[in-house]
Amino acid sequence: MTEAPAGPGQEVELSRGEARLVRVVLGGVSVLALGHLALGALSPPTVHDTALGAVALGASVGWGVRLVLAVAAALCFVLCPGVLLRRWTSGSDLFGNTALLWVPGFLYLVAVGVVCWLLESRVSPQAVSTVLLVPIPLLVLAALVSPGDRHARLHRGEPAVIGVMLLLLAVGVGMSTWSEGVPGELYPGTITRNLQSDNRPDSRIPYNVVMLIAHGDTPYGAKAKLYYTPYNFYSRGPIAGLAAAPVLFAGAAAPPRDLPVNPWEPFDAQGYATYRIVLMLLASTIVLAAYGLLRRFLTARVAWAGAVLVALSPFVVHEVYFTWPKLLAASFGLAAAGAIVTRRPLIGGVLLGLAYLAHPSGLFAIPAVVLGWGVLLWRGAPALGLDAPASMRRRLIRWARDTVWLGVGVLAIYLAWTLANAGHTANYFTSYVLEASGKQGVSVGAWTTYRLHSLADTLVPFETFLADRHSYWMNSFYGPSPNIVRFSASYWLTLPFAFGLLYFPAYLWGLARCARRAPLLLTATLLVPFLAFTVYWGVTDVGMLREGLHFVVVGSLLAAFVGHSVMSPSGRLRALVRWTATARVVEVLFMMLVPTIVTSGVSVSHLFLPTDIVAFTLIVGGALALAALTWRAFDPARLATRPTAAPVSVAAASASARHRSR
């Protein structure tokens, strides 16, 4: 990555060499996306009989080709609309925000999914998806061959952070393509196996939307009730499934109408492998969101280091390949924070509303954004380039005005969703606040004890494994899990494991240093939502991270990064961070590979040997590449630049905001 000469928040164009490389990559991705559409139209995927214990080499080649095309299609349809909008709206700083680069494509996919659903009785979803998606790669190719120098509107540093996101996606694709599974994974041997020894089907819930669209079923009919019980369509945010559906349909996938229990293949005819790819890409946008937020305050080189730190965290890696949309909700939350910092509170509110539609846990980002912005306006943050207004009255007026606009954005999404589901808005999730161990009507003492226990399991290293490894929530649905499997579950349950045990001391140091410099800001943005979730969560007590703390987890990691790599001048500390942050690759590979290999005794399957080799290469190669980038990013010399200018002055942002509509 080449350092941009501009300061924090000031974007510059790519060099000619970088722009040429970006054009080549965009052109290649667009051509492959067209290949995904063409292959879907000419040769739909077929079901292979794996019961005979042998699969022809041609089948493996076919699986590999379709996987590559599906990945390229997902990338094209999610990222390219944002790039095109930048080309067409070169004067707008809204689309210039890296955290929002993927949002236009995501929203377009959601809209196409809705159209497919509405027209299913008259036009096939495949035809609708193909017709509405094919313009995207064609427009990209047309833009690339048009005269002029501004073919691809990416800023200096963005290709590098997109590369980090793609490496994270590659690790996830490798994990989902590997045929071997950890003992006790849910739905073993089927296309929807959840890649985790756990008893929850949440990884496939967004796929329910795909099945409803494919067969034109209503969201509250008999089939929907079968899919969602004990919840309902209203209580599970639909937009991740809506976004995945067009990519599946364009590839001629045929989702089943009953529960998807088809035998597992690396690439299946029912579209579940494509669904995984889209969901993993959407989860990987957390890297773009983190970079975009940091870029408001830091140079491109330093912000890139923060994004790399996020990408190699074991918790983030796990939440990418466990395909539920909680990281997607966190991405919207971080993007909303960046929007309000740049004085676009209405956009921030809409993004928070979309976070809720991705997953209800997105609601916990709202107090963080509102209170955090209030603290910044009240106290200012000179180290981050934010100055405080002169008078208390102006501070309160500005905060109140921005909060109202943010509330308008959130309520617009929430009310529209509620009205669209009128008569079905009973939400089982709201009862969690009164529960302890999933039971209601408990005493105050039992309620309090349960949450203290849950808090200890979340924060204390090894507490979950040593004290609760026999809990129902630590074992497979089919019976007790091996100890090594229970131990590896700590990486998505407890805070010390989430960031890596090796890096955790540096994380604590960085977080403490940041808290010492900005205690009110961290209280508002991290502690308040964390405590609110602790009060709310009463279902499981083996660690709360996976249950909905994704925004808080990533936010705290960014705060720790600022503490130990931006605020600290200590060369020794930076060297320690470099070693420990890079060494997390060992824990990532342990989490992904060792429990399965140790318990099953095998690493590849004879039946799926070619694709297993590719999967192993993606897992190990992708993780090692992220480690190499971490080592480079945290070179103390590369982090020596401090944000001395005021990149996003509140006063300047306010002045620039007066002449544009919210």
Side-chain angles (χ1 to χ4, degrees), residues 22-40 65 68-77 80 133-142 144-145:
V22 168
R23 290 198 297 270
V24 171
V25 172
L26 284 175
V29 167
S30 299
V31 170
L32 291 175
L34 290 173
H36 175 77
L37 300 175
L39 190 60
V65 169
V68 170
L69 294 180
V71 170
L75 289 170
C76 180
F77 301 142
C80 286
L133 292 182
V134 72
I136 295 176
L138 292 179
L139 286 171
V140 173
L141 292 174
L144 294 179
V145 299

Side-chain angles (χ1 to χ4, degrees), residues 381-397:
L384 298 180
L386 291 172
D387 60 325
S391 69
M392 177 65 71
R393 179 175 175 272
R394 289 183 179 179
R395 301 174 194 178
L396 290 175
I397 291 175

Side-chain angles (χ1 to χ4, degrees), residues 464-475 480-481 483 486:
T464 299
F465 176 70
L466 295 177
D468 292 307
R469 66 177 180 272
H470 299 296
S471 167
Y472 170 78
W473 302 105
M474 282 288 287
N475 289 276
S481 299
N483 277 331
R486 294 166 174 162

Side-chain angles (χ1 to χ4, degrees), residues 55-56 60 87 99 111 269 306 365 391 400 405 408 414 507 514 532 552 559 578 594:
V55 175
S60 297
R87 174 181 170 84
S391 69
W405 280 109
V408 169
Y414 179 81
Y507 163 83
C514 190
V552 175
R578 188 186 194 190
V594 173

Side-chain angles (χ1 to χ4, degrees), residues 73-85 95 100-113 132-133 136 239 242-244 246-247 278 281-282 285 332:
L75 289 170
C76 180
F77 301 142
V78 172
L79 294 182
C80 286
V83 176
L84 290 172
L85 279 176
F95 297 113
L100 300 178
L101 182 63
W102 57 278
V103 174
F106 172 80
L107 293 179
Y108 185 74
L109 285 175
V110 170
V112 175
L132 294 180
L133 292 182
I136 295 176
I239 57 175
L242 285 169
V247 186
V278 177
L281 175 60
L282 296 179
T285 60
F332 277 119

Side-chain angles (χ1 to χ4, degrees), residues 188-209:
T190 72
I191 59 173
T192 61
R193 62 193 187 96
N194 70 347
L195 312 180
Q196 176 70 38
S197 181
D198 190 72
N199 46 42
R200 58 183 63 199
D202 297 54
S203 60
R204 81 177 188 187
I205 284 177
Y207 187 75
N208 294 344
V209 179

Side-chain angles (χ1 to χ4, degrees), residues 205-227:
I205 284 177
Y207 187 75
N208 294 344
V209 179
V210 177
M211 293 190 292
L212 292 175
I213 297 172
H215 302 284
D217 290 316
T218 62
Y220 297 101
K223 288 298 180 181
K225 185 176 181 179
L226 173 67
Y227 299 159

